[in-house]
PDB file of all heavy atoms in Angstrom:
ATOM      1  N   ASP A  59     -15.521   3.815 -16.779  1.00 69.00           N
ATOM      2  CA  ASP A  59     -15.983   2.619 -16.078  1.00 69.00           C
ATOM      3  C   ASP A  59     -14.854   1.921 -15.335  1.00 69.00           C
ATOM      4  O   ASP A  59     -15.006   1.531 -14.184  1.00 69.00           O
ATOM      5  CB  ASP A  59     -16.639   1.639 -17.049  1.00 69.00           C
ATOM      6  CG  ASP A  59     -17.958   2.155 -17.607  1.00 69.00           C
ATOM      7  OD1 ASP A  59     -18.537   3.064 -16.976  1.00 69.00           O
ATOM      8  OD2 ASP A  59     -18.381   1.664 -18.651  1.00 69.00           O
ATOM      9  N   LYS A  60     -13.721   1.769 -15.984  1.00 68.00           N
ATOM     10  CA  LYS A  60     -12.591   1.087 -15.361  1.00 68.00           C
ATOM     11  C   LYS A  60     -12.028   1.897 -14.198  1.00 68.00           C
ATOM     12  O   LYS A  60     -11.686   1.351 -13.157  1.00 68.00           O
ATOM     13  CB  LYS A  60     -11.511   0.804 -16.396  1.00 68.00           C
ATOM     14  CG  LYS A  60     -11.944  -0.232 -17.406  1.00 68.00           C
ATOM     15  CD  LYS A  60     -10.933  -0.431 -18.492  1.00 68.00           C
ATOM     16  CE  LYS A  60     -11.472  -1.429 -19.501  1.00 68.00           C
ATOM     17  NZ  LYS A  60     -10.657  -1.561 -20.656  1.00 68.00           N
ATOM     18  N   VAL A  61     -11.944   3.205 -14.393  1.00 70.00           N
ATOM     19  CA  VAL A  61     -11.434   4.072 -13.335  1.00 70.00           C
ATOM     20  C   VAL A  61     -12.377   4.057 -12.143  1.00 70.00           C
ATOM     21  O   VAL A  61     -11.954   3.952 -10.992  1.00 70.00           O
ATOM     22  CB  VAL A  61     -11.220   5.509 -13.862  1.00 70.00           C
ATOM     23  CG1 VAL A  61     -10.914   6.466 -12.728  1.00 70.00           C
ATOM     24  CG2 VAL A  61     -10.092   5.524 -14.876  1.00 70.00           C
ATOM     25  N   LEU A  62     -13.671   4.116 -12.409  1.00 72.00           N
ATOM     26  CA  LEU A  62     -14.647   4.108 -11.328  1.00 72.00           C
ATOM     27  C   LEU A  62     -14.667   2.789 -10.579  1.00 72.00           C
ATOM     28  O   LEU A  62     -14.850   2.760  -9.361  1.00 72.00           O
ATOM     29  CB  LEU A  62     -16.046   4.448 -11.853  1.00 72.00           C
ATOM     30  CG  LEU A  62     -16.204   5.876 -12.382  1.00 72.00           C
ATOM     31  CD1 LEU A  62     -17.582   6.076 -12.991  1.00 72.00           C
ATOM     32  CD2 LEU A  62     -15.951   6.900 -11.291  1.00 72.00           C
ATOM     33  N   SER A  63     -14.460   1.677 -11.278  1.00 74.00           N
ATOM     34  CA  SER A  63     -14.432   0.380 -10.585  1.00 74.00           C
ATOM     35  C   SER A  63     -13.217   0.296  -9.665  1.00 74.00           C
ATOM     36  O   SER A  63     -13.323  -0.193  -8.542  1.00 74.00           O
ATOM     37  CB  SER A  63     -14.446  -0.773 -11.586  1.00 74.00           C
ATOM     38  OG  SER A  63     -13.216  -0.906 -12.256  1.00 74.00           O
ATOM     39  N   LEU A  64     -12.067   0.782 -10.130  1.00 74.00           N
ATOM     40  CA  LEU A  64     -10.875   0.778  -9.276  1.00 74.00           C
ATOM     41  C   LEU A  64     -11.091   1.694  -8.080  1.00 74.00           C
ATOM     42  O   LEU A  64     -10.724   1.348  -6.953  1.00 74.00           O
ATOM     43  CB  LEU A  64      -9.644   1.207 -10.059  1.00 74.00           C
ATOM     44  CG  LEU A  64      -8.360   1.280  -9.222  1.00 74.00           C
ATOM     45  CD1 LEU A  64      -7.957  -0.106  -8.735  1.00 74.00           C
ATOM     46  CD2 LEU A  64      -7.242   1.913 -10.004  1.00 74.00           C
ATOM     47  N   GLU A  65     -11.706   2.835  -8.318  1.00 78.00           N
ATOM     48  CA  GLU A  65     -11.940   3.773  -7.229  1.00 78.00           C
ATOM     49  C   GLU A  65     -12.826   3.162  -6.142  1.00 78.00           C
ATOM     50  O   GLU A  65     -12.530   3.274  -4.953  1.00 78.00           O
ATOM     51  CB  GLU A  65     -12.595   5.049  -7.757  1.00 78.00           C
ATOM     52  CG  GLU A  65     -12.823   6.084  -6.682  1.00 78.00           C
ATOM     53  CD  GLU A  65     -13.532   7.309  -7.199  1.00 78.00           C
ATOM     54  OE1 GLU A  65     -14.389   7.182  -8.085  1.00 78.00           O
ATOM     55  OE2 GLU A  65     -13.224   8.393  -6.685  1.00 78.00           O
ATOM     56  N   SER A  66     -13.871   2.478  -6.534  1.00 80.00           N
ATOM     57  CA  SER A  66     -14.756   1.874  -5.522  1.00 80.00           C
ATOM     58  C   SER A  66     -14.047   0.765  -4.756  1.00 80.00           C
ATOM     59  O   SER A  66     -14.215   0.642  -3.540  1.00 80.00           O
ATOM     60  CB  SER A  66     -16.046   1.351  -6.170  1.00 80.00           C
ATOM     61  OG  SER A  66     -15.769   0.306  -7.053  1.00 80.00           O
ATOM     62  N   ILE A  67     -13.220  -0.008  -5.422  1.00 81.00           N
ATOM     63  CA  ILE A  67     -12.454  -1.067  -4.746  1.00 81.00           C
ATOM     64  C   ILE A  67     -11.483  -0.447  -3.744  1.00 81.00           C
ATOM     65  O   ILE A  67     -11.361  -0.899  -2.605  1.00 81.00           O
ATOM     66  CB  ILE A  67     -11.699  -1.935  -5.784  1.00 81.00           C
ATOM     67  CG1 ILE A  67     -12.681  -2.772  -6.597  1.00 81.00           C
ATOM     68  CG2 ILE A  67     -10.658  -2.814  -5.099  1.00 81.00           C
ATOM     69  CD1 ILE A  67     -12.059  -3.429  -7.806  1.00 81.00           C
ATOM     70  N   LYS A  68     -10.793   0.597  -4.155  1.00 82.00           N
ATOM     71  CA  LYS A  68      -9.805   1.225  -3.282  1.00 82.00           C
ATOM     72  C   LYS A  68     -10.465   1.947  -2.102  1.00 82.00           C
ATOM     73  O   LYS A  68      -9.882   2.039  -1.026  1.00 82.00           O
ATOM     74  CB  LYS A  68      -8.897   2.181  -4.073  1.00 82.00           C
ATOM     75  CG  LYS A  68      -7.925   1.443  -4.954  1.00 82.00           C
ATOM     76  CD  LYS A  68      -7.073   0.500  -4.126  1.00 82.00           C
ATOM     77  CE  LYS A  68      -6.179  -0.382  -4.939  1.00 82.00           C
ATOM     78  NZ  LYS A  68      -5.393  -1.305  -4.129  1.00 82.00           N
ATOM     79  N   GLN A  69     -11.675   2.458  -2.287  1.00 84.00           N
ATOM     80  CA  GLN A  69     -12.377   3.076  -1.160  1.00 84.00           C
ATOM     81  C   GLN A  69     -12.706   2.034  -0.104  1.00 84.00           C
ATOM     82  O   GLN A  69     -12.608   2.305   1.092  1.00 84.00           O
ATOM     83  CB  GLN A  69     -13.650   3.777  -1.646  1.00 84.00           C
ATOM     84  CG  GLN A  69     -13.361   5.091  -2.339  1.00 84.00           C
ATOM     85  CD  GLN A  69     -14.595   5.714  -2.955  1.00 84.00           C
ATOM     86  OE1 GLN A  69     -15.621   5.065  -3.127  1.00 84.00           O
ATOM     87  NE2 GLN A  69     -14.484   6.992  -3.307  1.00 84.00           N
ATOM     88  N   VAL A  70     -13.073   0.843  -0.536  1.00 85.00           N
ATOM     89  CA  VAL A  70     -13.329  -0.245   0.407  1.00 85.00           C
ATOM     90  C   VAL A  70     -12.042  -0.596   1.155  1.00 85.00           C
ATOM     91  O   VAL A  70     -12.045  -0.769   2.372  1.00 85.00           O
ATOM     92  CB  VAL A  70     -13.907  -1.482  -0.321  1.00 85.00           C
ATOM     93  CG1 VAL A  70     -13.932  -2.697   0.580  1.00 85.00           C
ATOM     94  CG2 VAL A  70     -15.292  -1.181  -0.866  1.00 85.00           C
ATOM     95  N   HIS A  71     -10.927  -0.685   0.427  1.00 84.00           N
ATOM     96  CA  HIS A  71      -9.643  -0.990   1.074  1.00 84.00           C
ATOM     97  C   HIS A  71      -9.254   0.092   2.072  1.00 84.00           C
ATOM     98  O   HIS A  71      -8.772  -0.205   3.159  1.00 84.00           O
ATOM     99  CB  HIS A  71      -8.529  -1.122   0.032  1.00 84.00           C
ATOM    100  CG  HIS A  71      -8.669  -2.313  -0.841  1.00 84.00           C
ATOM    101  ND1 HIS A  71      -7.864  -2.520  -1.929  1.00 84.00           N
ATOM    102  CD2 HIS A  71      -9.505  -3.361  -0.798  1.00 84.00           C
ATOM    103  CE1 HIS A  71      -8.210  -3.649  -2.522  1.00 84.00           C
ATOM    104  NE2 HIS A  71      -9.210  -4.170  -1.845  1.00 84.00           N
ATOM    105  N   LEU A  72      -9.471   1.345   1.682  1.00 84.00           N
ATOM    106  CA  LEU A  72      -9.120   2.446   2.574  1.00 84.00           C
ATOM    107  C   LEU A  72      -9.939   2.382   3.856  1.00 84.00           C
ATOM    108  O   LEU A  72      -9.392   2.546   4.956  1.00 84.00           O
ATOM    109  CB  LEU A  72      -9.321   3.783   1.867  1.00 84.00           C
ATOM    110  CG  LEU A  72      -8.876   5.013   2.640  1.00 84.00           C
ATOM    111  CD1 LEU A  72      -7.371   4.982   2.924  1.00 84.00           C
ATOM    112  CD2 LEU A  72      -9.229   6.278   1.874  1.00 84.00           C
TER     113      LEU A  72
END
Side-chain angles (χ1 to χ4, degrees):
D59 292 340
K60 292 175 183 173
V61 170
L62 293 175
S63 72
L64 178 66
E65 182 183 35
S66 65
I67 291 168
K68 287 302 174 182
Q69 284 174 344
V70 169
H71 292 172
L72 185 62

